[in-house]
Amino acid sequence: MQGGGDGVFRMIRYSDFNYSYGAVCALRSLNLEIGKNELFTVMGPTGSGKTTMLRCLNRLNDVVPSGRHSGSLYLDGVDVYDPRVDVTVLRRRVGMVFALPAVLPTSIFENVAYGPRRAGERSKAALSETVERSLTAAALWEEVKDRLGERAETLSGGQQQRLALARVLALGPDVILLDEPTSGLDPISTLRIEDLLRELSRQYTIVLATHNPQQAARVGSRVGFLMLGELVEVAEAGDMFTRPRDPRTEAFVSGRLG
Amino acid sequence: MSYRKEGSPFWRTTVSSGRVRSQGRTANERVVERVLFCCALTAVSALALITAFIFAEGMPELGRTGPARFVFGTTWSPSRGMFGVLPMIAGSVAVTLAALLMGVPVAVACAVFLAEMAPPRAGVLLKALVELLSAVPSVVYGFVGLTTLVPLIREWTGAPGFSVLAASVVLAIMVMPTITSVSYESLKAVPGSYRDGVAALGGTRWQAIRMVVLPAARSGIVAGIILGIGRCLGETMAVLMVAGNAPVIPTSLLSPVRTLTSGIALEMGYASGRHREALFGTAVVLFAMIAALNLLTRYVASKGAVFGGRRRPRDGSAGA
């Protein structure tokens, strides 16, 4: 799972990709390749462009009127900004988990079943099976199997975040994006999510954005350091934290920056 | 530059009987506190005085006729000494219901469009225009209704035109800005992450609105509708000008109708003795209806945003 340029199948490729909000440049000439079933961590201070980088991949940024992009961004060999791309289908293939677990105001079951239903699944049995499989994969099944009909808001923060993950998994995505998924969670819930991500990266391509260098180190995958829209350095976590090449990376990981 | 006065601590409070009480109050602060207290008292005592006055003037007649016969009596004939306000209650309720049936869907749809769909700048501009509607004096609405709506109804139906229909159309337009702007604010208060959440699952904007945004804003929208009901029940002048004002229970949309408020306004000028007391009795009935509505509003508001207020009830360790 070394991903990147060494012959492994590439899932995501940013090629000279730029993104700006009006006059503010959020990403500048980003070049990055992420392999299939790789767990990639984007690390950087607040405002460095991590969220933009993620939100371009599923075109969630389309709703921002001032947003402009140039260059190309390939997912599985297809330019996601190709006019022929169906955004709805794209978003089913690229799931996203947010900093705030935005649970839908309905039952736990319906939260997970929502995506498949939208995609046209009508069979009750198939939905139940998908819900169970997704909740199990998100390590939530044991905790909620007896209360699937309860409202999702009654879950704890950590459980809600795993529910959000289950909801994404239910769509059978290729890629899962996580934007600061643990920023609102306590350390124990955070560790659970991180373990889960390592587990899930066997089957899915995962891009995790975090402002926390410790998290990047714990997750221990390939890490990209993003600052002011520029991808400063990409390295294995071990190298990044012990032998950073760029002085800015060194400053960030040692806590002198950001 | 220090924020601390020499010799005096910057922050000195003691906790007594569960409340944090500031000890370091200056004389100045105490004066301000008293003045504000008096202002608050003025508002409250105005309410108390009005209530006391209405009840003092109205209760004797309510007692004489008997509360049940007063509220449920169907004949309002001051010259014969018969005071039953049911026609007016029915009139107020009929006009209000019809106005809501027409006004609420339009107002809520308008709020959804302005808050969720219109380009941001257009949304702000249009909302300002909608709010301007509420700045138009009610007599103007009544006048426009009288000169255009009533003749129009007369032409279409052959009825006199002064009717439940005319009054409720005028009211529907009048309550729209209230309902729209309250709904708009509560829609805007729904966090953007909820919309993103649905979009990220492959949902469309409309699905996000229906599935997440509207349910989340529900209590605010309901509060707006209740405010609108209050406006309908309370509106006097515009209704009086187009409703026909016959004190009979309306049987159709085209029946002339008298509401509680316009009933009082029509007769207060010349009423005396029992008649005058009966009008105050009418005010007591109106007061009770509005008070009940206010309690309902508080109840709805206290339930808070449907799921905004209690996102993490079980999570003791995070946040807080």
Side-chain angles (χ1 to χ4, degrees):
Chain A
M1 272 193 297
Q2 287 305 299
D6 40 11
V8 178
F9 178 67
R10 292 178 203 119
M11 186 52 109
I12 299 166
R13 186 155 70 90
Y14 292 85
S15 169
D16 270 326
F17 190 77
N18 300 283
Y19 199 91
S20 58
Y21 301 97
V24 183
C25 191
L27 290 175
R28 51 188 97 222
S29 48
L30 181 62
N31 282 295
L32 176 68
E33 292 179 349
I34 299 172
K36 187 171 165 60
N37 294 0
E38 181 180 0
L39 170 53
F40 187 86
T41 309
V42 190
M43 163 184 90
T46 308
S48 58
K50 306 183 294 287
T51 299
T52 306
M53 196 176 143
L54 260 51
R55 288 173 65 105
C56 286
L57 257 174
N58 62 355
R59 301 251 317 252
L60 215 53
N61 256 12
D62 285 9
V63 294
V64 182
S66 61
R68 294 281 173 277
H69 77 280
S70 66
S72 7
L73 169 50
Y74 297 96
L75 175 81
D76 208 356
V78 176
D79 187 343
V80 300
Y81 280 100
D82 190 304
R84 284 168 300 179
V85 165
D86 180 341
V87 176
T88 304
V89 176
L90 172 71
R91 287 176 188 163
R92 287 188 190 128
R93 290 191 59 186
V94 185
M96 186 159 186
V97 174
F98 301 89
L100 281 172
V103 299
L104 307 176
T106 169
S107 70
I108 295 169
F109 183 92
E110 285 304 323
N111 259 275
V112 184
Y114 179 78
R117 270 194 213 280
R118 288 271 77 81
E121 180 60 65
R122 290 281 169 272
S123 145
K124 266 234 127 183
L127 282 175
S128 299
E129 201 232 296
T130 306
V131 168
E132 177 172 352
R133 188 166 31 80
S134 310
L135 284 171
T136 308
L140 190 60
W141 176 250
E142 285 304 315
E143 291 159 60
V144 301
K145 63 180 175 189
D146 300 322
R147 42 190 283 223
L148 291 174
E150 279 179 39
R151 292 184 68 82
E153 304 95 292
T154 61
L155 296 172
S156 76
Q159 289 173 325
Q160 287 191 16
Q161 201 55 290
R162 275 176 283 149
L163 180 67
L165 197 53
R167 211 164 56 177
V168 166
L169 294 174
L171 286 163
D174 298 323
V175 178
I176 304 172
L177 310 174
L178 299 106
D179 188 5
E180 307 270 4
T182 60
S183 63
L185 301 184
D186 61 274
I188 295 176
S189 303
T190 301
L191 290 179
R192 276 200 89 158
I193 299 266
E194 288 167 5
D195 286 343
L196 197 53
L197 292 183
R198 272 191 295 270
E199 189 77 20
L200 289 170
S201 69
R202 289 196 205 132
Q203 290 179 58
Y204 303 95
T205 307
I206 298 180
V207 186
L208 168 72
T210 179
H211 60 246
N212 184 346
Q214 283 90 348
Q215 180 162 55
R218 280 196 306 267
V219 171
S221 58
R222 217 157 56 100
V223 181
F225 174 54
L226 199 64
M227 202 182 126
L228 298 172
E230 187 193 339
L231 191 60
V232 175
E233 185 168 347
V234 178
E236 289 296 325
D239 295 336
M240 175 81 87
F241 291 97
T242 52
R243 296 182 296 278
R245 289 191 300 267
D246 193 289
R248 286 170 291 177
T249 315
E250 207 261 316
F252 183 74
V253 298
S254 59
R256 283 187 279 114
L257 189 104
Chain B
M1 179 77 185
S2 165
Y3 290 110
R4 270 175 83 153
K5 266 191 209 158
E6 211 47 53
S8 79
F10 162 60
W11 184 255
R12 195 176 67 193
T13 57
T14 57
V15 178
S16 70
S17 66
R19 249 176 45 195
V20 177
R21 186 173 296 170
S22 161
Q23 287 193 326
R25 282 190 308 185
T26 61
N28 199 349
E29 204 168 331
R30 245 166 285 161
V31 171
V32 171
E33 225 166 78
R34 294 269 156 80
V35 170
L36 292 181
F37 177 71
C38 287
C39 294
L41 207 61
T42 312
V44 176
S45 52
L47 176 71
L49 281 173
I50 290 173
T51 313
F53 183 68
I54 293 174
F55 274 80
E57 295 280 326
M59 286 320 272
E61 179 52 40
L62 262 163
R64 207 174 296 134
T65 311
R69 274 181 63 201
F70 187 80
V71 173
F72 296 110
T74 54
T75 312
W76 177 269
S77 178
S79 54
R80 287 186 286 156
M82 295 173 79
F83 300 106
V85 294
L86 191 63
M88 272 88 95
I89 295 175
S92 281
V93 170
V95 164
T96 301
L97 281 182
L100 291 179
L101 278 179
M102 288 182 270
V104 168
V106 180
V108 173
C110 181
V112 169
F113 175 76
L114 294 182
E116 301 291 324
M117 293 168 170
R121 252 189 237 165
V124 171
L125 183 73
L126 285 171
K127 179 169 178 273
L129 290 178
V130 169
E131 280 176 348
L132 209 59
L133 264 183
S134 60
V136 176
S138 63
V139 69
V140 173
Y141 283 100
F143 185 65
V144 173
L146 182 68
T147 52
T148 61
L149 193 60
V150 170
L152 208 63
I153 295 173
R154 188 184 300 145
E155 212 169 287
W156 282 350
T157 63
F162 293 97
S163 57
V164 176
L165 182 63
S168 52
V169 169
V170 169
L171 279 179
I173 296 168
M174 290 180 71
V175 297
M176 244 192 63
T178 313
I179 301 176
T180 301
S181 61
V182 175
S183 305
Y184 176 91
E185 296 304 338
S186 60
L187 288 168
K188 278 286 175 196
V190 176
S193 58
Y194 294 178
R195 298 177 185 85
D196 285 351
V198 176
L201 292 173
T204 62
R205 186 140 61 146
W206 171 241
Q207 284 164 348
I209 291 170
R210 210 184 38 152
M211 181 72 193
V212 182
V213 179
L214 278 177
R218 191 177 58 194
S219 66
I221 294 172
V222 171
I225 293 172
I226 294 176
L227 275 177
I229 298 176
R231 184 100 204 261
C232 285
L233 285 178
E235 179 51 42
T236 312
M237 188 43 96
V239 173
L240 187 147
M241 289 168 81
V242 299
N245 303 319
V248 288
I249 296 175
T251 51
S252 82
L253 273 179
L254 297 173
S255 309
V257 68
R258 184 186 290 194
T259 62
L260 288 162
T261 49
S262 52
I264 297 172
L266 279 165
E267 297 179 5
M268 200 43 115
Y270 60 87
S272 62
R274 268 191 76 193
H275 185 192
R276 198 178 111 93
E277 286 178 9
L279 290 179
F280 272 104
T282 311
V284 170
V285 172
L286 186 65
F287 186 89
M289 288 169 73
I290 301 271
L293 207 60
N294 258 319
L295 287 178
L296 191 65
T297 318
R298 284 185 163 270
Y299 174 71
V300 171
S302 73
K303 296 192 89 179
V306 173
F307 60 110
R310 45 189 180 89
R311 288 178 56 81
R312 290 177 187 175
R314 288 173 173 226
D315 200 275
S317 46

